[in-house]
């Protein structure tokens, strides 16, 4: 595993380095103390080159096993926050999480109880299942994110025959693409079971792409917003080999009611449903602002 974080100092400074990591994450003093007690059980078994990953994994496990282990703001710490604090690759964190899982499983239960980790001693099976579920969700999200990038680039080019396919870095900064991904995250959380099924997730991603891309299409054709959306979804399904009837049913019966609810709450502008807005008598098409979706995630 690679990391941008400098290697910690020799073993005598491990506690200092560990607590410095906890501080960078924003852990409470109680959280830092508990996490270090757990970390100290494994210091002789860890690879020094990967210590930042072990720091993050131990903090995450403590947060799961003890409700008192929170950040200074009172929230539980997430994997993304830990990865960001240590400049770590999230995909590589699963290796250290599963390694820590094996080390914890090998510990004597009495030793965990003495160290005040009673929940961890009794919930090893749940911890195993949780890590595997997180990894599955991450893999699915990564696959779909790359697919969304590729499809959005392809469809954006089709709107302008003279345009070249935009680079991934350019697409990432595109407000339309950001809206697609946030809309997908919101709808996936609200509509799909956890962990989500890959096929259902892909169909929901197509719906999210269809909603935003239909707003960015040519509105001078005279087609109604619903016709533009149906045409965009049909085009997406044909290009990607998806079942149009299933995708349309998912949009009509599930995503559209969710969008209406979000509009009613003010989390989305009405244009996400109607496709166009009138400004001084001029019809314009645009995706909803990205920040309007953030509160709904």
């Amino acid at each position: 595993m690679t990391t941008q974080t400098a290697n910690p100092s020799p073993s005598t400074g491990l506690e200092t380095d560990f607590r410095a990591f906890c501080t960078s994450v924003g852990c409470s003093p109680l959280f830092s103390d508990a996490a270090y007690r757990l970390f100290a059980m494994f210091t002789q078994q860890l690879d020094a080159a990967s210590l930042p990953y072990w720091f993050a994994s131990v903090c995450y496990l403590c947060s799961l096993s003890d409700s008192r282990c929170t950040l200074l703001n009172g929230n539980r710490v997430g994997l993304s926050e830990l990865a960001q604090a240590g400049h770590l690759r999230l995909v590589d964190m699963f290796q250290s999480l599963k390694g820590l899982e094996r080390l914890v499983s090998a510990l004597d239960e009495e030793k965990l109880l003495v160290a005040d980790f009673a929940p961890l001693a009794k919930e090893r099976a749940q911890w195993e299942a949780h890590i595997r579920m997180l990894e599955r969700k991450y893999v699915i999200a990564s696959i779909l994110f790359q697919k969304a990038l590729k499809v959005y680039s392809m469809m954006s080019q089709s709107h302008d025959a003279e345009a070249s396919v935009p680079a991934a870095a350019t697409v990432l900064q595109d407000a339309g693409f950001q809206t697609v991904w946030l809309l997908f995250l919101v709808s996936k959380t609200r509509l799909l079971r956890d962990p989500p099924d890959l096929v259902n997730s892909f169909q929901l991603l197509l719906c999210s792409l269809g909603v935003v891309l239909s707003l960015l299409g040519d509105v001078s054709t005279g087609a109604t917003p619903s016709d533009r959306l149906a045409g965009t979804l049909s085009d997406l399904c044909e290009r990607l080999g998806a079942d149009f009837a299933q995708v349309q049913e998912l949009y009509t019966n599930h995503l559209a009611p969710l969008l209406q609810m979000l509009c009613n709450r003010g989390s989305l502008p009405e244009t996400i449903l109607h496709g166009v807005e009138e400004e001084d008598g001029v019809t314009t098409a645009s995706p909803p602002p990205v920040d309007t979706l953030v509160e709904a995630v």
Side-chain angles (χ1 to χ4, degrees):
M1 292 181 290
T2 58
T3 174
Q4 299 173 13
T5 302
N7 288 336
S9 55
S11 57
T12 54
L14 274 179
E15 180 172 0
T16 299
D17 294 322
F18 185 88
R19 291 185 181 276
F21 177 83
C22 290
T23 299
S24 70
V25 176
C27 300
S28 67
L30 185 150
F31 189 174
S32 298
D33 291 342
Y36 184 72
R37 285 202 312 276
L38 181 60
F39 177 75
M41 297 181 186
F42 310 116
T43 52
Q44 302 304 314
Q45 301 166 271
L46 306 181
D47 175 16
S50 301
L51 278 175
Y53 285 92
W54 292 108
F55 291 171
S57 297
V58 167
C59 285
Y60 187 68
L61 177 54
C62 278
S63 179
L64 285 180
S65 63
D66 191 337
S67 61
R68 298 171 299 171
C69 291
T70 65
L71 300 178
L72 291 171
N73 60 13
N75 295 332
R76 289 286 185 91
V77 68
L79 279 180
S80 296
E81 291 171 288
L82 290 166
Q84 188 173 25
H87 305 290
L88 310 175
R89 280 164 43 91
L90 192 56
V91 65
D92 289 333
M93 280 192 63
F94 291 106
Q95 296 180 37
S96 59
L97 283 168
K98 288 186 283 189
L100 180 61
E101 169 200 312
R102 290 190 291 270
L103 291 176
V104 170
S105 297
L107 283 177
D108 182 81
E109 184 171 332
E110 184 176 347
K111 188 174 183 180
L112 285 170
L113 294 173
V114 170
D116 198 24
F117 285 103
L120 185 57
K122 298 176 181 179
E123 298 174 3
R124 297 179 188 185
Q126 291 91 322
W127 159 247
E128 257 183 77
H130 181 74
I131 294 305
R132 278 155 180 69
M133 182 190 71
L134 281 180
E135 187 172 25
R136 178 186 172 192
K137 290 170 68 175
Y138 177 80
V139 169
I140 289 176
S142 297
I143 291 171
L144 293 175
F145 185 79
Q146 294 303 320
K147 177 64 73 174
L149 271 177
K150 182 177 180 180
V151 173
Y152 189 87
S153 299
M154 174 183 68
M155 296 296 285
S156 296
Q157 183 194 28
S158 70
H159 289 316
D160 185 352
E162 297 182 0
S164 58
V165 177
T170 302
V171 177
L172 287 172
Q173 301 302 316
D174 187 286
F177 176 75
Q178 293 173 8
T179 301
V180 167
W181 189 246
L182 278 171
L183 178 57
F184 169 68
L185 293 179
V186 172
S187 55
K188 178 172 68 72
T189 300
R190 301 295 184 90
L191 300 177
L192 301 184
R193 68 176 185 269
D194 193 23
D197 174 82
L198 180 57
V199 173
N200 290 335
S201 297
F202 178 61
Q203 291 178 343
L204 191 58
L205 176 62
L206 292 183
C207 290
S208 302
L209 282 160
V211 168
V212 175
L213 288 169
S214 67
L215 300 182
L216 299 175
D218 185 2
V219 298
S220 64
T221 60
T224 65
S226 60
D227 286 343
R228 285 204 307 278
L229 175 58
T232 303
L233 288 177
S234 177
D235 190 12
L236 284 168
C237 291
E238 184 177 350
R239 289 171 182 255
L240 300 170
D243 188 312
F244 173 64
Q246 291 182 0
V247 171
Q248 189 173 45
E249 187 274 336
L250 177 61
Y251 173 79
T252 302
N253 295 335
H254 301 283
L255 183 56
L258 174 62
L259 294 178
Q260 183 63 69
M261 183 195 74
L262 293 174
C263 288
N264 293 340
R265 283 175 39 185
S267 298
L268 284 174
E270 288 292 325
T271 50
I272 195 105
L273 288 177
H274 302 308
V276 296
E277 56 183 323
E278 299 290 337
E279 292 182 356
D280 299 324
V282 178
T283 302
T284 60
S286 63
V290 172
D291 56 5
T292 62
L293 275 170
V294 172
E295 292 183 1
V297 175

